[in-house]
């Protein structure tokens, strides 16, 4: 299972990199969002997958999946959400003020 | 006697008080107050002379940075006292001269602050025993010289000259610093005295250290080919030229060579470099001096030439280290003696000449030889001084230059017959080059006197009618002129009290008593005398022939070192801006490509070369069909994003991926994650859609084909490296997880949900900061939307 997830994350990283390298602002932000997805999947995988029960102490056998990566991912989800939200509003404002939705091609072309 | 540390610091302290005094006492020329400093220092230093002549030395150490072995150590011996007396003595005369030279309208406080800084730094250079302290003072002389050259900073040429001097001398200074570090590495000490006894001539760093040290000395002393800064430094006020660029700073390099002769002098490279560069400089300087039309430029080239002379003598003197204290070393130590003698002589006559040129410039408003002439009857005193100075420089009796020139010839004739370092092959060249250079020297000395003071007087070409300068301006050059003659008549007073102890510092292991001949004015008909007679005869002929030419000036050719310097600077600037504008394109995409490529190459490279890849399926959890289906769907969705034409498709596909991850979190027993992911993904998608709604419909992705191909390759590279690293890390478990500790969450924190216990109890600090991140994000969004630039202050960057 881990191998499958890692390959999945790899595909997401490739797609994200490609999107980040493109010109449209929205595509770049999408790329960052995908990249954080990939990072979360990787964190999850590194803790080992399906090695026990849900990490809630109930009347189980006392063997739980690793809870630490989950806590880390939870923190990361919130932070990347905050950043994505900020970037999106920034893109919106840039369009409003400067009428731009594409990244500049370079100083020489201007 | 005061401690030398204090003496070095006095000029710096005085410089601190200058601005206050300048403002408080506007009626007195500030120079009079400044004059006290070098005079007092000079008198103090003279008190050292008798005991130093008896062979005593003074060492005094102050702690500075003990952990690095850097102490503010002063060392007074024969060599440093010569320089110290020159610095303070000529310094007093120059300040006296500048009081009359500079008008009250100039920013005098700046001038004297810089001059005092320079004086203190120069004293620091010659009295420091610690290499690092020496280096600090060395750079301070460069900086203060820079400030002084650009004193009239509104002139373009002054700024050019100052920059040139700074670049070249700093370049040399850094070479010297590198050499000092090598020396420290070799010997483990920074003290010059200790280095002399502990240096290992066979060490691999010995020759590099030697070369770098010489670069430092040659740049400072304007030796070929680093001499180009000195003529341009003539844009400085004339007192500065007289003080820095003839008598003191340019001799710092010579001091360095003399000081390090006991360290490096025994090596062949040292002899060859110092001697040959000195002789080339001697020749090149005198040859160029003849071609000048500006008196100060002429004196600048003559300074270069004379410094080359002194340098070559020290080079010859270093041979003595081959023989130890043997009898045949005497004639080589005699060369060093001549070098020290000429060093003092040069300071006297060159100082006087610069002052005279300044008087002429001040009096008639020009230094151009073609416009000058016939000033003898108008300026009799200046004429006399110029005559004395020039004839001394030319090496004529009855002036001190004659004696040192004779000793110079004698040393060169001696060395040409020497049998060490395979000199025989080239030996004959030494006296020949020196003799030709002396002829040129003679010619330009005649030019100074005859072109300026003889011939027809052209009042129409001059800005002011010629008149004699104020007496105050004449006193310093008169004192120097008296010294010139005084040294000629009583050379052995100087020799016994100053030069002999100075020589002892060059040869610390020698017993020089009785080995040195006293200086004699008449020494019989020897080759040196015949050479001098030849110089005078040929010099007069050349001067006669040359005078017939309408213009003395021969324009420099295309291939000069000045051209090289200028084009190097230009090219560096041009190439630099070209390279920068090539890779700093201003496009975010390009920078991202650099970053990703660097990541790929560094991580991928290390990965490849360390054989880090490993792949182990054994610890994997089993794969069920529905999980596989989810994963495949996500991959497909991801790839589809790239090809999606419309923007809404991409946003929805992203949402699909987000929800699939939430589903995976459910399967991987992470309910909190699944919950959060669902909520966050919903809000994010909503935000994306919100943005989408406001953004224009169509955005062109018309990147060229090549760019697209690079993008694809870079993304695949990043993806492959990501997978490779993740697989390898996943395969090798180094140690057990610490999470079993958290499994006791209920006992430890009373929580059933372990993830929440970690977030809110075990690692609550992270959570707090994460909340702050969210808070800042919220404020950022709020301000972005709410705050608008008011009219009139918007678009500042567009203005």
């Amino acid at each position: 299972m881990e191998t499958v997830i890692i390959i999945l994350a790899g595909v997401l990283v490739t797609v994200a990199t490609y999107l980040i390298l493109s010109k449209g602002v929205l595509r770049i932000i999408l790329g960052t969002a995908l990249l954080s997805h990939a990072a979360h999947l990787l964190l999850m995988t590194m803790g080992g997958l399906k090695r026990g029960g849900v990490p809630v102490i109930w009347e189980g056998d006392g063997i739980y999946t690793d809870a630490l990566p989950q806590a880390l991912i939870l923190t990361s989800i919130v932070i990347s959400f905050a950043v994505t939200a900020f970037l999106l509003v920034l893109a919106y404002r840039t369009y409003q003020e400067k009428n731009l939705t594409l990244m500049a091609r370079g100083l020489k072309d201007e | 006697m005061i401690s030398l540390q204090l003496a070095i610091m006095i000029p710096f302290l005085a410089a601190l008080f200058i601005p206050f005094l300048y403002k408080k006492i506007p009626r007195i020329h500030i120079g009079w107050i400044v004059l006290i400093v070098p005079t007092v220092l000079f008198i103090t230093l003279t008190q050292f002379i008798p005991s130093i002549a008896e062979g005593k030395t003074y060492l005094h150490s102050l702690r500075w940075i003990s952990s690095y072995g850097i102490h503010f150590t002063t060392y007074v011996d024969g060599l440093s006292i010569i320089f110290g007396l020159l610095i303070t003595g000529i310094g007093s005369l120059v300040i006296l001269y500048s009081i009359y030279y500079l008008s009250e309208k100039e920013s005098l406080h700046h001038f004297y602050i810089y001059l005092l800084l320079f004086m203190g730094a120069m004293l620091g250079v010659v009295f420091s025993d610690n290499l690092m302290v020496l280096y600090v003072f060395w750079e301070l002389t460069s900086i203060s010289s820079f400030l002084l050259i650009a004193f009239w900073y509104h002139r373009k040429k002054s700024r050019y000259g100052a920059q040139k001097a700074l670049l070249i001398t700093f370049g040399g200074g850094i070479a010297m610093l590198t050499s000092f570090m090598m020396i420290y590495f070799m010997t483990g000490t920074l003290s010059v005295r200790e280095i002399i006894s502990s240096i290992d001539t066979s060490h691999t760093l010995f020759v590099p250290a030697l070369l770098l040290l010489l670069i430092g000395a040659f740049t400072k002393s304007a030796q070929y080919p680093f001499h180009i800064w000195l003529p341009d430094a003539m844009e400085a006020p004339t007192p500065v030229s007289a003080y820095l660029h003839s008598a003191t700073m340019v001799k710092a390099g010579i001091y360095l060579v003399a000081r390090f002769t006991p360290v490096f002098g025994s090596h062949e490279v040292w002899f060859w470099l110092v001697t040959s560069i000195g002789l080339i400089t001697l020749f090149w300087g005198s040859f160029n001096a003849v071609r000048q039309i500006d008196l100060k430029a002429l004196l600048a080239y003559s300074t270069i030439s004379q410094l080359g002379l002194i340098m070559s003598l020290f080079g010859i003197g270093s041979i003595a280290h081959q023989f130890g204290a043997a009898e045949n070393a005497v004639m080589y130590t005699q060369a060093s003696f001549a070098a020290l003698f000429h060093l003092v002589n040069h300071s006297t006559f060159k100082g006087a000449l610069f002052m005279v040129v300044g008087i002429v410039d001040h009096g008639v408003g020009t230094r151009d030889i073609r416009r000058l002439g016939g000033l003898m009857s108008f300026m009799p005193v200046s004429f006399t001084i110029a005559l004395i100075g020039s004839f001394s420089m030319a090496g004529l009796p009855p002036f001190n230059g004659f004696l040192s020139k004779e000793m110079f010839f004698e040393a060169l004739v001696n060395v040409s017959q020497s049998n060490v370092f395979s000199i025989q092959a080239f030996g004959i060249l030494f006296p020949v080059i020196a003799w030709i250079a002396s002829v040129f020297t003679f010619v330009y000395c005649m030019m100074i006197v005859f072109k300026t003071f003889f011939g027809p007087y052209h009042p129409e070409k001059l800005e002011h009618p010629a008149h004699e300068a104020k007496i105050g301006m004449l006193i310093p050059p008169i004192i120097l002129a008296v010294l010139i003659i005084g040294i000629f008549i009583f050379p052995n007073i100087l020799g016994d009290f100053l030069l002999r102890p100075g020589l002892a510092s060059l040869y610390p292991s020698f017993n020089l008593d009785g080995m040195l001949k006293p200086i004699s004015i008449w020494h019989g008909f020897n080759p040196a005398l015949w050479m001098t007679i030849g110089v005078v005869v040929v010099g007069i002929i050349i001067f006669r022939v040359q005078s017939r030419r309408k213009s003395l000036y021969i324009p420099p050719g295309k291939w000069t070192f000045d051209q090289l310097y200028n084009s190097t600077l230009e090219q560096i600037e041009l190439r630099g801006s070209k390279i920068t504008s090539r890779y700093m394109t201003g496009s975010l995409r390009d920078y991202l490509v650099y970053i990703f490529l660097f990541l790929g190459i560094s991580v991928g490279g290390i990965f490849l070369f360390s054989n880090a890849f490993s792949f182990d399926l054994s610890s994997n959890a089993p794969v069920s069909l529905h999980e596989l289906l989810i994963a495949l769907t996500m991959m497909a969705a991801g790839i589809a994003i790239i090809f999606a034409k419309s923007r809404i498709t991409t946003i929805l596909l992203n949402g699909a991926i987000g929800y699939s991850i939430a589903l995976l979190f459910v399967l991987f027993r992470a309910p909190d994650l699944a919950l959060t992911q669902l909520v966050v993904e919903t809000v994010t998608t909503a935000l994306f859609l919100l943005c989408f709604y406001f953004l224009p419909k169509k955005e062109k992705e018309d990147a060229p084909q090549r760019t697209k191909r690079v993008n694809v390759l870079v993304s695949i590279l990043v993806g492959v490296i990501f997978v490779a690293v993740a697989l390898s890390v996943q395969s090798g478990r180094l140690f057990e997880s610490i999470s079993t500790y958290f499994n006791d969450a209920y006992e430890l924190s009373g929580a059933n949900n372990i993830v929440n216990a970690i977030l809110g109890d075990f690692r609550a600090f992270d959570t707090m900061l994460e909340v702050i991140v969210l808070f800042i994000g919220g404020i950022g969004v709020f301000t972005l939307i709410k705050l608008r630039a008011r009219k009139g202050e918007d678009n500042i960057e567009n203005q």
Side-chain angles (χ1 to χ4, degrees), chain B residues 470-770:
Chain B
K470 274 173 279 183
I471 183 70
M473 217 163 164
L474 288 169
I475 287 174
I478 288 173
I479 294 174
L480 287 172
V482 169
L483 269 177
I484 292 171
I485 299 173
I487 292 175
F488 176 77
I489 301 171
F490 307 108
N492 286 314
I493 296 178
L494 181 71
D496 289 339
F497 282 97
L498 278 178
L499 305 185
R500 222 167 277 263
L503 202 62
S505 353
L506 261 80
Y507 306 104
S509 57
F510 288 29
N511 181 18
L512 290 165
D513 290 338
M515 273 169 77
L516 280 171
K517 299 179 278 183
I519 311 165
S520 54
I521 296 171
W522 177 250
H523 39 72
F525 288 103
N526 56 2
L529 188 68
W530 291 116
M531 281 167 86
T532 305
I533 293 169
V535 165
V536 173
V537 172
V538 179
I540 288 172
I541 295 168
I542 291 182
F543 180 67
R544 286 277 165 157
V545 173
Q546 206 201 20
S547 301
R548 302 238 175 88
R549 289 168 50 108
K550 281 250 164 84
S551 167
L552 295 164
Y553 182 64
I554 308 161
K558 202 179 171 193
W559 300 101
T560 60
F561 283 104
D562 279 307
Q563 290 282 340
L564 184 71
Y565 167 84
N566 289 335
S567 64
T568 309
L569 276 195
E570 256 168 48
Q571 287 297 322
I572 288 173
E573 209 167 303
L574 205 71
R575 297 277 161 85
S577 85
K578 254 187 191 163
I579 292 171
T580 311
S581 64
R582 174 156 292 180
Y583 77 89
M584 299 291 283
T585 55
S587 151
L588 179 67
R589 181 252 167 200
D590 292 348
Y591 303 149
L592 285 169
V593 168
Y594 304 152
I595 293 169
F596 283 133
L597 275 181
F598 179 77
L599 173 91
I601 290 164
S602 60
V603 178
I606 292 168
F607 207 68
L608 274 181
F609 286 107
S610 59
N611 277 331
F613 185 75
S614 66
F615 181 51
D616 177 22
L617 269 172
S618 60
S619 66
N620 273 6
V623 186
S624 59
L625 185 65
H626 56 278
E627 287 163 345
L628 196 62
L629 275 177
I630 294 172
L632 285 175
T633 320
M634 282 173 72
M635 283 184 211
I639 294 164
I641 287 181
I642 294 175
F643 296 103
K645 284 274 180 290
S646 83
R647 198 185 286 153
I648 188 135
T649 324
T650 56
I651 293 171
L652 291 180
L653 284 170
N654 180 51
I657 293 175
Y659 287 128
S660 311
I661 288 181
L663 210 54
L664 281 181
F665 285 154
V666 171
L667 293 172
F668 297 150
R669 331 266 200 267
D672 306 277
L673 284 187
L675 195 67
T676 320
Q677 178 68 25
L678 267 177
V679 174
V680 163
E681 197 56 38
T682 313
V683 180
T684 313
T685 309
L687 271 171
F688 267 112
L689 288 171
L690 197 73
C691 258
F692 162 79
Y693 179 76
F694 284 103
L695 293 182
K697 280 250 154 50
K698 197 78 181 151
E699 57 181 21
K700 288 170 279 166
E701 250 331 290
D702 57 346
Q705 208 60 39
R706 206 175 132 259
T707 318
K708 267 189 187 162
R709 223 175 290 143
V710 173
N711 288 357
V712 170
L713 284 177
V714 169
S715 0
I716 290 175
L717 177 74
V718 173
V720 166
I721 286 172
F722 176 87
V723 171
V725 172
L727 281 180
S728 310
V729 172
Q730 210 273 324
S731 302
R733 283 196 166 271
L734 298 176
F735 41 79
E736 273 308 300
S737 162
I738 57 163
S739 294
T740 43
Y741 172 76
F742 298 121
N743 290 352
D744 302 328
Y746 187 74
E747 288 79 32
L748 291 166
S749 64
N752 282 326
N753 187 329
I754 302 175
V755 175
N756 287 0
I758 294 174
L759 286 172
D761 193 320
F762 296 114
R763 300 180 57 88
F765 202 63
D766 293 356
T767 313
M768 184 186 80
L769 293 175
E770 162 201 338

Side-chain angles (χ1 to χ4, degrees), chain B residues 251-542:
Chain B
K251 298 212 166 101
I254 291 192
Y255 168 78
L256 199 71
V257 167
R259 184 52 93 196
F260 276 86
T261 297
V263 181
F264 293 117
S266 55
H267 202 278
E268 194 176 354
V269 178
W270 178 271
F271 160 76
W272 277 110
L273 262 181
V274 176
T275 313
S276 57
I277 293 286
L279 283 174
I280 292 170
T281 314
L282 165 66
F283 169 76
W284 190 245
S286 62
F287 175 65
N288 272 294
V290 176
R291 313 198 309 184
Q292 303 303 318
I293 45 169
D294 179 2
L295 277 178
K296 266 180 102 174
L298 192 155
L299 286 180
Y301 276 107
S302 95
T303 303
I304 293 170
S305 159
Q306 303 282 317
L307 290 171
L309 189 158
I310 299 170
M311 199 64 100
S312 66
L313 278 174
F314 275 124
I316 294 167
S318 71
I319 301 181
H321 283 281
Q322 289 299 310
F323 297 105
E327 197 55 30
N328 42 355
V330 176
M331 67 179 189
Y332 301 112
T333 54
Q334 199 75 37
S336 295
F337 188 76
L340 289 173
F341 190 38
H342 196 68
L343 179 92
V344 176
N345 292 347
H346 177 251
S347 298
T348 56
F349 64 68
K350 193 51 65 72
L353 281 174
F354 265 111
M355 288 176 186
V356 169
V357 168
I359 289 169
V360 169
D361 189 13
H362 214 259
V364 301
T366 182
R367 304 188 306 249
D368 193 328
I369 290 183
R370 292 167 302 183
R371 290 160 70 185
L372 293 168
L375 297 179
M376 181 172 59
S377 47
F378 299 98
M379 311 171 97
V381 183
S382 315
F383 164 67
T384 317
I385 299 162
L387 192 78
I388 294 171
S390 299
F391 280 20
S392 173
M393 184 153 71
L396 297 178
F399 309 112
N400 58 6
F402 171 71
L403 300 176
S404 41
K405 188 78 107 205
E406 291 296 285
M407 291 160 79
F408 171 59
F409 282 149
E410 206 176 302
L412 284 169
V413 171
N414 280 339
V415 77
S416 65
Q417 291 151 3
S418 177
N419 55 358
V420 282
F421 301 148
S422 58
I423 291 172
Q424 307 93 311
F426 307 98
I428 191 66
L429 277 176
F430 291 171
V432 171
I433 294 173
W435 185 82
I436 299 172
S438 297
V439 172
F440 282 122
T441 307
F442 186 85
V443 173
Y444 69 68
C445 290
M446 295 304 108
M447 277 167 66
I448 296 172
V449 176
F450 288 97
K451 300 280 172 192
T452 315
F453 294 100
F454 285 86
Y457 173 56
H458 308 288
E460 73 283 356
K461 287 184 184 170
L462 304 174
E463 286 176 23
H464 319 288
H467 57 86
E468 188 56 276
K470 274 173 279 183
I471 183 70
M473 217 163 164
L474 288 169
I475 287 174
I478 288 173
I479 294 174
L480 287 172
V482 169
L483 269 177
I484 292 171
I485 299 173
I487 292 175
F488 176 77
I489 301 171
F490 307 108
N492 286 314
I493 296 178
L494 181 71
D496 289 339
F497 282 97
L498 278 178
L499 305 185
R500 222 167 277 263
L503 202 62
S505 353
L506 261 80
Y507 306 104
S509 57
F510 288 29
N511 181 18
L512 290 165
D513 290 338
M515 273 169 77
L516 280 171
K517 299 179 278 183
I519 311 165
S520 54
I521 296 171
W522 177 250
H523 39 72
F525 288 103
N526 56 2
L529 188 68
W530 291 116
M531 281 167 86
T532 305
I533 293 169
V535 165
V536 173
V537 172
V538 179
I540 288 172
I541 295 168
I542 291 182

Side-chain angles (χ1 to χ4, degrees), chain B residues 169-307:
Chain B
T169 50
F170 262 18
I174 286 178
M176 195 182 86
L177 179 64
T178 320
S179 163
F180 285 175
M181 288 193 279
M182 288 177 177
I183 292 172
Y184 182 63
F185 183 75
M186 283 189 283
T187 60
T189 174
L190 285 170
S191 160
V192 180
R193 289 166 304 108
E194 291 166 24
I195 287 164
I196 292 171
S197 55
S198 56
I199 193 92
D200 171 19
T201 47
S202 57
H203 199 283
T204 40
L205 282 178
F206 183 79
V207 176
L210 185 161
L211 293 175
L212 288 169
L213 187 93
L214 281 184
I215 289 177
F218 287 166
T219 48
K220 198 79 166 182
S221 280
Q223 297 294 296
Y224 186 92
F226 308 114
H227 61 276
I228 50 173
W229 65 268
L230 191 61
D232 284 303
M234 290 301 128
E235 293 302 323
T238 303
V240 173
S241 309
Y243 187 40
L244 272 71
H245 307 126
S246 69
T248 50
M249 188 182 88
V250 287
K251 298 212 166 101
I254 291 192
Y255 168 78
L256 199 71
V257 167
R259 184 52 93 196
F260 276 86
T261 297
V263 181
F264 293 117
S266 55
H267 202 278
E268 194 176 354
V269 178
W270 178 271
F271 160 76
W272 277 110
L273 262 181
V274 176
T275 313
S276 57
I277 293 286
L279 283 174
I280 292 170
T281 314
L282 165 66
F283 169 76
W284 190 245
S286 62
F287 175 65
N288 272 294
V290 176
R291 313 198 309 184
Q292 303 303 318
I293 45 169
D294 179 2
L295 277 178
K296 266 180 102 174
L298 192 155
L299 286 180
Y301 276 107
S302 95
T303 303
I304 293 170
S305 159
Q306 303 282 317
L307 290 171

Side-chain angles (χ1 to χ4, degrees), chain A residues 28-88:
Chain A
I28 293 175
I29 300 173
L30 263 178
T32 58
L34 278 181
L35 202 59
S36 53
H37 285 331
H40 300 158
L41 281 180
L42 182 71
L43 272 174
M44 193 80 206
T45 318
M46 286 301 134
L49 297 174
K50 302 199 281 186
R51 281 173 216 278
V54 174
V56 174
I57 300 164
W58 212 246
E59 291 165 16
D61 50 3
I63 300 169
Y64 311 108
T65 38
D66 201 334
L68 193 57
Q70 296 194 13
L72 296 181
I73 294 168
L74 204 61
T75 311
S76 163
I77 288 175
V78 176
I79 289 172
S80 64
F81 166 66
V83 174
T84 309
F86 182 79
L87 285 180
L88 276 170

